[in-house]
Amino acid sequence: MIPWIQIDSAKTPDGGQELRLKRRGAEFSIMLGANELMNSRLSGSEEALARLSCERIAGRIDPKILIGGLGMGFTLRAALAELGADAGVVVAELVPAVVAWARGPMAEMFGGCLDDPRVSIREVDVGQLIRSEKSTWDAILLDVDNGPEGIVYTANDALYGAAGLGAARAALKPGGVLAVWSQGPDAGFMRRLKQAGFAVEEIRTRANGKRGARHIIWLATNAQ
């Protein structure tokens, strides 16, 4: 079997943990300690996050999409495949090394999507962008950390609390969609979405088509 080779590492934003980029042949993995955060062979649920969100806003003119978390680009590439030439997609990635990996060791996998004229990459906390603009986004897609139960960066918790969800709803246009990826179910988060005024649909999906781990996607509509 081909061994894993560590290509690079980077500290998490709080400096307390280390992300490691590893490669085995054509396969990539991003690790946090013993936890694998993502693998280039397992993209199904992240792609579903984009596809389902874009279906909900189909037909809008000049749609504006905010994606929290670049990762391996699964969500971004899937969104670009669904959106027309008039769309604008902003990707907020808090760890600069992740952007560097996308342009460097994983560039072939990204297929030039970071240079798509519809795309803007911001090395910033997605929460900052959410709080800075009102009624701006047609869809906000959060593929941040492990979902509401984060393990990478404790400050991510603010995205999923009552104040963070209120800010997200304020940042969406009427009828806009907040889509959230999670490694697993979370009844408390579902309840907070409803308390924040969203109409919520919970969708179960698989990491790799009909196989792999079961993940959760919440589609929360700003029903103003």
Side-chain angles (χ1 to χ4, degrees):
M1 179 177 290
I2 302 173
W4 284 104
I5 298 173
Q6 181 167 317
I7 298 174
D8 197 10
S9 64
K11 290 292 187 182
T12 55
D14 59 6
Q17 302 186 80
E18 186 177 71
L19 295 173
R20 293 177 290 127
L21 176 64
K22 302 175 72 175
R23 182 172 189 169
R24 181 173 64 185
E27 180 183 357
F28 289 93
S29 174
I30 295 179
M31 304 285 296
L32 179 74
N35 296 305
E36 183 175 63
L37 299 181
M38 59 198 75
N39 184 291
S40 58
R41 295 185 297 104
L42 304 173
S43 60
S45 58
E46 290 88 349
E47 292 166 351
L49 176 70
R51 185 182 69 256
L52 293 167
S53 302
C54 290
E55 287 174 357
R56 298 305 191 279
I57 62 168
R60 294 195 174 206
I61 305 300
D62 299 326
K64 292 188 67 177
I65 315 299
L66 174 61
I67 298 177
L70 176 60
M72 290 185 172
F74 301 136
T75 301
L76 172 60
R77 293 195 297 278
L80 292 175
E82 295 286 336
L83 296 167
D86 62 339
V89 182
V90 175
V91 181
E93 174 52 59
L94 191 55
V95 182
V98 173
V99 180
W101 297 342
R103 295 192 181 279
M106 294 191 293
E108 184 175 352
M109 188 174 72
F110 273 77
C113 70
L114 299 188
D115 298 317
D116 188 302
R118 295 172 291 176
V119 175
S120 174
I121 305 295
R122 300 282 302 276
E123 294 182 6
V124 65
D125 183 348
V126 67
Q128 179 179 328
L129 294 183
I130 289 172
R131 294 187 297 270
S132 66
E133 300 187 63
K134 306 298 183 185
S135 300
T136 297
W137 307 101
D138 294 281
I140 299 172
L141 283 58
L142 295 181
D143 184 6
V144 176
D145 210 319
N146 233 29
E149 293 296 328
I151 61 173
V152 177
Y153 183 41
T154 55
N156 286 332
D157 293 346
L159 291 170
Y160 304 110
L165 295 177
R169 186 164 181 242
L172 287 167
K173 296 176 184 177
V177 174
L178 171 66
V180 179
W181 181 96
S182 177
Q183 188 179 42
D186 188 322
F189 180 65
M190 179 86 161
R191 183 170 57 252
R192 291 196 298 276
L193 283 169
K194 292 178 179 179
Q195 290 171 343
F198 287 105
V200 187
E201 181 180 2
E202 181 179 281
I203 298 173
R204 295 175 182 268
T205 186
R206 302 297 287 263
N208 189 21
K210 296 181 179 181
R211 304 177 62 185
R214 298 178 185 274
H215 296 153
I216 300 294
I217 294 171
W218 290 283
L219 296 174
T221 302
N222 180 20
Q224 292 182 346

